[in-house]
Structure formats: C-alpha cells, structure tokens
Amino acid sequence: MNGHDDLLAKLRQTLEEQGIDSFHILEDLVPIEEQMEYFRYFERLRGENNPFVRDEEVAVLFSPDAPVSRKKRSLILLASIPDVGAYRSIETYHSSPLEPELTHWSSMALVSSRIVLSSDLSGQQQVYISSGLGGQDKKLRFFSLFTTADRQPFTDLQKEIVEREFRFQLEKADVIIEKLEIKANYFTIQMLFDFDKDAKTCLDAAVQECNQYGNFLDTKFLFTNVKVLSENEINNLLERK
C-alpha cells in the first residue's frame, strides 16, 4: 500500500512543481505490456520522422484488407499530428474497431491524438497519466483486496459492517466505487480515486471503523493500479500468506 501512496504523492508534487494543471488519463483498462509496446513504436516512428499523407493513412485504417500491423502504424502516424481530421478518424475507428485486437491500440492513439491537439491549440505542456487499470476524468482506477484477520469466513453481520463502513468512508472522500464484492474471507473493491486524494488515510479509516466491531479485518491490504486480480490469483496469495 505504501508504495502506491508514495507514487500518488510524487505525482501530485511533480505536477505542482511544474505548474501543470492539464493532464490526460487513459480511461480504458489496457495491459501495461501493450502500453509499453505502443510507446516504443510511437517513439520509433517519431524518430524516423518519415513524411506521410493523412488521407492515405485514414484509408488504410478503414480498409478491410489492410493487415493489423499496418493499421497499428496508421493509428500512430495519425495520432502524431495536430490535426482535427486525424483525431476524428481515430475516434470513429475506436468507437467500433474493424479489428477487435486493435481496441486497446486505438484507445492509446485516441489519447495521444488528444494530447497533441491540446498542446498545439493551448500552447501549454500536456501530461499523460497511464496505469494498467486506466481511469476516468481526473480519477485513477485502483483495485484493492482486504482479508479477514484470521482468514476465517465473514459472518453476515461483518459483511454488513464492511459494506456500510467502506461505502461511507469512500463516498465521503469523493471516491467512486465501481464494484465491491465480498467473498467468504476476503473482499475486493474496484474504485476511482482523485490523484490528489490521500488513498492510504481513506482506506485505513474504513478498516479502523470496521475493526471497532471485533478487529476482524487484517490491517494490511493490497492496493494496486496495475491489474485486477482473478479469483485464482487471490486464492494463491491467501494460501501463501
């Protein structure tokens, strides 16, 4: 938990020090590996700096015959120029990709294009914030895992307490709960946090409130913006612990 809280604090500090108040968040859940592949490809094409014709790349993007690898290139090229027509083409493609495997790629290209356009129109530095779980508006998406202190199953009363206290504490901090699932001896929350909020204090407070009714929650918990853990992954973690 502390590592991610420090990360958020450093992010807040960096934006404040550089006077940056405009930033863009990737909203979709795109695996980190695919994001890195996109950025490497983007930097490579930018380094090559080869001229291209916008309308030709748009035609390739919407061609049913062009291979996926060629469309990846077109998406990046279109995202690299401050052109409203290029942005609208990416937006149209992303709304209903001809190739489902390019859904994540077109999502990345759409954000890249938006940043390039915003920078060109405003003349101000734009910042891109990404994570494996994405976000929404000015909030980052996180996944958290909490367990019972002794790994014993929750009672019905304890489940009610968890539901009540966590919803109260998170909503008070303007956190959007997208999903809260309570299982036998653990529960998970998928949520949207303002990057300038103190995540640790908020979640610690919820745990402490619950533990006033019998110290039934482990005070250590998982808080990540990298991926949503599957049920098998969670069970493996609990078995190791």
Side-chain angles (χ1 to χ4, degrees):
M1 173 64 207
N2 289 336
H4 289 286
D5 198 50
D6 289 345
L7 177 62
L8 290 173
K10 289 176 181 177
L11 175 60
R12 292 192 293 267
Q13 181 181 355
T14 298
L15 294 181
E16 183 177 341
E17 288 176 350
Q18 297 186 14
I20 297 172
D21 56 8
S22 180
F23 57 89
H24 303 262
I25 295 176
L26 177 66
E27 296 193 356
D28 297 329
L29 281 73
V30 179
I32 292 294
E33 296 79 8
E34 193 164 357
Q35 291 188 43
M36 296 308 299
E37 179 190 356
Y38 176 91
F39 287 130
R40 285 193 292 266
Y41 199 176
F42 190 96
E43 289 301 318
R44 180 159 64 84
L45 290 185
R46 187 169 67 171
E48 293 174 359
N49 197 29
N50 293 327
F52 65 92
V53 178
R54 183 200 68 180
D55 290 347
E56 290 180 2
E57 296 304 324
V58 172
V60 169
L61 184 59
F62 289 96
S63 169
D65 301 320
V68 168
S69 58
R70 181 63 181 85
K71 291 192 175 190
K72 282 186 172 183
R73 181 183 179 89
S74 291
L75 283 166
I76 286 183
L77 290 175
L78 291 171
S80 69
I81 57 175
D83 184 283
V84 175
Y87 175 82
R88 293 303 179 195
S89 296
I90 298 171
E91 185 179 47
T92 300
Y93 180 86
H94 180 62
S95 67
S96 183
L98 297 176
E99 295 79 15
E101 59 268 42
L102 286 181
T103 299
H104 290 160
W105 201 268
S106 61
S107 177
M108 298 284 294
L110 189 61
V111 176
S112 297
S113 182
R114 189 178 298 133
I115 291 173
V116 170
L117 264 180
S118 298
S119 297
D120 184 67
L121 293 173
S122 68
Q124 296 179 345
Q125 182 182 5
Q126 306 289 309
V127 172
Y128 171 71
I129 300 175
S130 72
S131 71
L133 295 184
Q136 183 177 308
D137 296 328
K138 301 300 183 182
K139 296 178 183 288
L140 294 174
R141 182 174 287 107
F142 288 90
F143 174 83
S144 201
L145 166 67
F146 301 83
T147 67
T148 57
D150 53 8
R151 302 298 182 269
Q152 295 300 307
F154 287 111
T155 65
D156 289 341
L157 176 58
Q158 288 170 344
K159 289 180 180 180
E160 291 179 11
I161 293 170
V162 164
E163 181 89 23
R164 182 185 69 233
E165 295 298 339
F166 271 83
R167 288 194 179 278
F168 175 77
Q169 293 293 335
L170 293 176
E171 289 171 5
K172 185 172 68 171
D174 196 30
V175 176
I176 297 175
I177 299 175
E178 294 185 313
K179 185 184 296 184
L180 192 161
E181 292 186 325
I182 303 177
K183 301 295 185 179
N185 62 353
Y186 70 86
F187 66 95
T188 61
I189 307 177
Q190 186 173 303
M191 63 199 112
L192 290 165
F193 248 107
D194 280 328
F195 82 96
D196 57 352
K197 285 291 195 317
D198 186 341
K200 185 176 188 304
T201 296
C202 177
L203 295 173
D204 279 343
V207 171
Q208 289 171 11
E209 288 298 321
C210 289
N211 279 342
Q212 290 190 35
Y213 300 91
N215 292 317
F216 62 92
L217 286 184
D218 195 329
T219 56
K220 295 180 180 179
F221 51 87
L222 174 71
F223 182 71
T224 179
N225 63 350
V226 176
K227 64 179 292 188
V228 173
L229 297 184
S230 68
E231 190 169 346
N232 284 338
E233 289 173 320
I234 291 173
N235 288 329
N236 287 336
L237 276 177
L238 297 185
E239 287 174 5
R240 288 204 302 269
K241 191 169 181 179

